[in-house]
């Protein structure tokens, strides 16, 4: 943001929010700023994102269709509006099938394969265990699967796992990982197009939300 203020860069694409919006908003006067891969309804700038609610909803519905009623959920940061929309999609899918949610099966602040190991340790110690989990990213999903297999679980027979982002690790893991595929190339392309148009026209950025659809890629982990 200091680079923008000092005119060392022409614009900023924020792919995540690590600061309160009140801290960032004063910098709007120095150049165009937009959000990509993040959602904040109070930000008066363009938002390029994908449908978080839809992503969690279709993933959870898939697990329910596979016969699961005890489904765990993991997300990155509870303060993120995008993450809250994802959680709402998950809870809505459960409610539509008259399924309850155990708060002990809610996990957050995990990002790596090692974090996946730790989440499975917690699951394995529970007296009432979930039989499936919808995770925030593929790295965590891979860690969960590895730890579960090491403990003698059959995937997906004993425990089903869905990842997020559809990274290459999904195709090389064993078993391969069911995941939500997000339109990452389109997110980047549209973000660049919008900010370049703004720079050429020198007009003020306005609040508009572009939501791109996601897709569930079904593999061996479910």
């Amino acid at each position: 943001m200091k680079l923008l203020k000092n005119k060392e860069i022409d614009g900023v694409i924020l792919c995540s929010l690590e600061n309160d919006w009140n801290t960032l908003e004063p910098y709007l006067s120095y150049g165009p700023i937009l959000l990509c891969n993040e959602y904040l309804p109070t930000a008066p700038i363009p938002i390029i994102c994908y449908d978080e609610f839809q992503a969690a909803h279709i993933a959870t519905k898939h697990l329910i269709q596979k016969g699961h009623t005890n489904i765990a959920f993991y997300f990155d940061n509870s303060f993120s509006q995008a993450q809250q929309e994802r959680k709402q999609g998950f809870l809505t899918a459960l409610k539509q099938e008259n399924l309850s949610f155990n708060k002990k099966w809610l996990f957050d602040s995990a990002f790596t394969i090692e974090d996946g190991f730790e989440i499975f340790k917690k699951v394995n110690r529970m007296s009432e265990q979930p039989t499936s989990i919808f995770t925030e990213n593929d790295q965590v999903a891979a860690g969960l699967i590895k730890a579960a297999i090491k403990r003698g679980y059959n995937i997906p027979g004993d425990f089903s796992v869905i990842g997020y982002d559809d990274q290459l690790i999904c195709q090389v893991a064993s078993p391969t990982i069911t995941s939500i595929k997000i339109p990452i190339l389109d997110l980047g392309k549209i973000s660049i197009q919008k900010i370049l148009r703004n720079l050429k026209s020198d007009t003020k950025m306005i609040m508009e939300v572009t939501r791109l659809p996601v897709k569930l890629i079904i593999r061996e982990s479910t």
Side-chain angles (χ1 to χ4, degrees), residues 30-222:
Y30 301 112
I33 300 172
L34 63 79
L35 284 175
C36 171
N37 193 45
E38 185 60 272
Y39 178 71
L40 185 67
T42 57
I45 57 176
I47 298 172
I48 319 300
C49 59
Y50 45 89
D51 197 328
E52 298 274 6
F53 181 96
Q54 178 206 19
H57 191 267
I58 62 175
T60 308
K61 282 285 192 179
H62 174 66
L63 291 172
I64 294 171
Q65 289 165 3
K66 287 292 183 176
H68 294 282
T69 56
N70 296 350
I71 305 172
F73 178 77
Y74 146 71
F75 60 106
D76 275 355
N77 299 305
S78 59
F79 62 82
S80 166
Q81 180 63 38
Q83 300 289 319
Q84 289 299 326
E85 287 200 356
R86 192 176 302 183
K87 181 181 177 182
Q88 197 57 48
F90 167 73
L91 294 175
T92 298
L94 292 182
K95 186 176 181 180
Q96 289 171 341
E97 301 295 331
N98 295 316
L99 296 176
S100 58
F101 175 61
N102 189 331
K103 291 183 179 180
K104 293 181 179 179
W105 300 340
L106 180 66
F107 305 95
D108 63 5
S109 300
F111 306 91
T112 66
I113 290 175
E114 290 77 11
D115 291 334
F117 296 161
E118 293 303 314
I119 288 178
F120 182 76
K121 287 180 183 178
K122 293 178 182 179
V123 169
N124 195 51
R125 289 194 297 263
M126 292 178 177
S127 56
E128 184 181 3
Q129 297 180 1
T131 60
S132 59
I133 185 169
F134 171 45
T135 74
E136 169 62 24
N137 69 58
D138 300 322
Q139 303 294 320
V140 173
L144 274 160
I145 289 171
K146 182 71 174 180
I149 291 174
K150 191 174 181 180
R151 292 287 298 184
Y153 283 64
N154 174 272
I155 307 294
D158 299 322
F159 194 67
S160 291
V161 180
I162 296 182
Y164 207 106
D165 291 336
D166 195 35
Q167 299 175 13
L168 287 176
I169 193 173
C170 293
Q171 300 177 47
V172 299
S174 182
T176 55
I177 303 172
T178 296
S179 186
I180 293 291
K181 184 177 182 65
I182 62 172
I184 193 70
L185 294 178
D186 290 335
L187 284 171
K189 182 178 179 180
I190 294 172
S191 297
I192 289 293
Q193 289 173 337
K194 280 188 176 293
I195 209 162
L196 287 177
R197 281 199 297 268
N198 177 267
L199 289 169
K200 289 177 181 179
S201 63
D202 196 29
T203 56
K204 183 181 179 181
M205 285 280 200
I206 61 171
M207 167 60 165
E208 55 179 347
V209 180
T210 303
R211 292 181 188 270
L212 302 180
V214 299
K215 184 178 180 180
L216 179 67
I217 306 299
I218 301 173
R219 297 191 179 93
E220 296 168 345
S221 68
T222 58

